[in-house]
Amino acid sequence: MIDENLTDDQQAELIKSWWRENGLFLVGGLVLGVGGLFGWQAWQSNSTQKSQEASNAFQELLEASAQQRYNKADELYELITADYAGTPYADSAELEQAASLIKRNDEEQAASVLRRLVSNTGDTSIRNIAKLRLGRVLLQLEDYSAAAKIAAYAKNDAFTAEFADLRGDIAYAQGNIAAARTAYEQALAAGGEAFPQAGYVRVKLNDLGAPAPVATE
């Protein structure tokens, strides 16, 4: 507070002195504040633009894959995973690329893509989807041991039934009918009526026939 007993000239000189000492910090703070505001707005704008670019590129990837323009699809896949790494579009591009490679009968490369996605994604749901698809690719490649490791899912959540179904398919492929039956039953129990594959699993379970009678002494 300025002393009211000071003359006008003395008050003016006091204000000038305070401004000389503190004005630079006030201006600096103002510049930083305004700069921070514009920096945040610029970052938001850039983020929105990149997200739109990634979305457009991913849509083009889907169209190229559907039209079997695989060279173009490969280019877009490389673009998305390089320029938009860490985004949901990059993860989705990995899944689409793996599906595209399977259509091209390149299961080995599809497995490589899915393994990379399982290792790198930070999204638990995407990781589980990639694991399921990897397990089925390994089943196609008759790598039953690796597929079984993927299918050994102990959690009780939305993916439990899917992994149990996969275990059943692996066991069936190995000729282990009892294990296949158990796994299919687990899939139905875990999935309930909400399990999209329930009807198909019941068909597979019925195809196994009635369980062998328990031996009695």
Side-chain angles (χ1 to χ4, degrees), residues 139-209:
L139 177 57
Q140 284 184 285
L141 293 171
E142 299 183 0
D143 189 348
Y144 301 131
S145 177
K149 289 179 181 178
I150 292 289
Y153 192 76
K155 295 181 180 180
N156 183 19
D157 58 22
F159 292 93
T160 303
E162 296 280 2
F163 279 100
D165 182 28
L166 175 58
R167 288 196 300 274
D169 290 348
I170 296 168
Y172 180 79
Q174 294 177 293
N176 191 340
I177 303 304
R181 180 180 291 105
T182 297
Y184 291 144
E185 289 172 347
Q186 289 173 343
L188 292 174
E193 294 302 320
F195 183 32
Q197 303 298 323
Y200 184 42
V201 173
R202 289 192 185 94
V203 170
K204 291 189 286 187
L205 192 56
N206 291 336
D207 286 345
L208 297 180

Side-chain angles (χ1 to χ4, degrees), residues 37-59:
L37 174 61
F38 281 107
W40 169 248
Q41 290 176 335
W43 181 87
Q44 282 188 311
S45 176
N46 182 62
S47 178
T48 301
Q49 180 180 350
K50 289 202 66 154
S51 179
Q52 186 60 54
E53 290 172 356
S55 175
N56 292 340
F58 181 66
Q59 186 60 42

Side-chain angles (χ1 to χ4, degrees), residues 3-77:
D3 189 344
E4 294 181 356
N5 294 321
L6 296 176
T7 66
D8 291 344
D9 289 342
Q10 288 174 323
Q11 290 182 12
E13 184 58 36
L14 187 61
I15 292 172
K16 290 178 183 178
S17 177
W18 184 91
W19 180 256
R20 283 195 297 268
E21 293 177 5
N22 300 282
L24 180 62
F25 297 102
L26 286 177
V27 173
L30 179 61
V31 170
L32 288 174
V34 173
L37 174 61
F38 281 107
W40 169 248
Q41 290 176 335
W43 181 87
Q44 282 188 311
S45 176
N46 182 62
S47 178
T48 301
Q49 180 180 350
K50 289 202 66 154
S51 179
Q52 186 60 54
E53 290 172 356
S55 175
N56 292 340
F58 181 66
Q59 186 60 42
E60 288 184 46
L61 170 60
L62 292 177
E63 292 172 359
S65 295
Q67 296 166 3
Q68 298 184 0
R69 295 185 290 119
Y70 295 129
N71 288 338
K72 181 63 175 178
D74 290 344
E75 290 177 8
L76 290 163
Y77 163 69

Side-chain angles (χ1 to χ4, degrees), residues 119-140:
S119 297
N120 295 337
T121 184
D123 187 302
T124 301
S125 294
I126 292 290
R127 182 180 295 109
N128 283 329
I129 292 170
K131 280 184 175 181
L132 284 166
R133 295 188 183 183
L134 176 58
R136 297 212 169 273
V137 171
L138 293 171
L139 177 57
Q140 284 184 285

